[in-house]
Amino acid sequence: NKLWSATRFVLMNTEGFGTSGMPQPATDAEKWILSQLDKTSAEAAGHFASYRFDLLAQTLYEFAWNQFCDWFVELAKPALNGDDQAAADSTRHTLLFVLERLLRLLHPLIPFVTEELWQQVAPKLGIEGDSIMTQSYPQAGDFDASTFAQADADIEWLKAMVSALRRVRSELGVSPSKQVALLVRGGGETECARLGRFDAALRFLSRIERIDVLRGE
């Protein structure tokens, strides 16, 4: 189960780490997942209000399994394994914060699973309470997600790049563990700037040895 695996990943990477309060995101990946959390909380409230529990389940599934368990867990790894201690600790805080909110969002749908996982996550955030049932349901607007718009767009670009690179590897029969060079041609200033900003993340996530931008013909 992806949720169990993601929770184990978070707990392993926050062993001996404790925090509280709202995250102050240091990386674009953190800003992206917090923006997605805010959007998901707003959508969940709308689905409850209209009694569309089918759409609620679909929305929460997409956020939990795809955005958090798949992408954010992967996008967090460069910071967790990097030399920037502030970025690593900020990422740990955001991992715990989003996971705890996610468990509360999911609780009406899978109560026994969320209760057990919440008991392991909540103490790391200084949250007191005997049960997840006594906690309020997450609402949108707890932080200003509108300030994360640029990071949101940049991370969607990074996701598309990583997905494309993995697809090309598969089509060419290149082992996922093999380090290769990435040669890039075309694109404008925005793409070149993103390549520079996300150089380390692209190399880490896609097993890229180096990235070279080819100029001219």
Side-chain angles (χ1 to χ4, degrees), residues 30-47:
E30 293 174 78
K31 295 173 184 177
W32 170 77
I33 196 64
L34 289 170
S35 174
Q36 297 304 310
L37 171 64
D38 194 69
K39 293 174 184 177
T40 299
S41 299
E43 290 178 16
H47 295 326

Side-chain angles (χ1 to χ4, degrees), residues 166 169-170 173-179 205-208:
R166 290 175 175 174
R169 275 182 177 272
S170 177
V174 178
S175 169
S177 62
K178 181 178 176 59
Q179 292 274 359
L205 295 169
S206 302
R207 305 295 292 173
I208 300 297

Side-chain angles (χ1 to χ4, degrees), residues 133-152:
M133 291 188 294
T134 65
Q135 305 300 310
S136 61
Y137 199 73
Q139 302 294 318
D142 284 347
F143 46 85
D144 187 3
S146 64
T147 61
F148 302 155
Q150 186 59 54
D152 211 15

Side-chain angles (χ1 to χ4, degrees), residues 75-94:
L75 294 169
K77 291 176 181 178
L80 294 174
N81 292 278
D83 297 326
D84 188 337
Q85 189 61 45
D89 286 344
S90 177
T91 298
R92 291 186 178 95
H93 187 174
T94 300

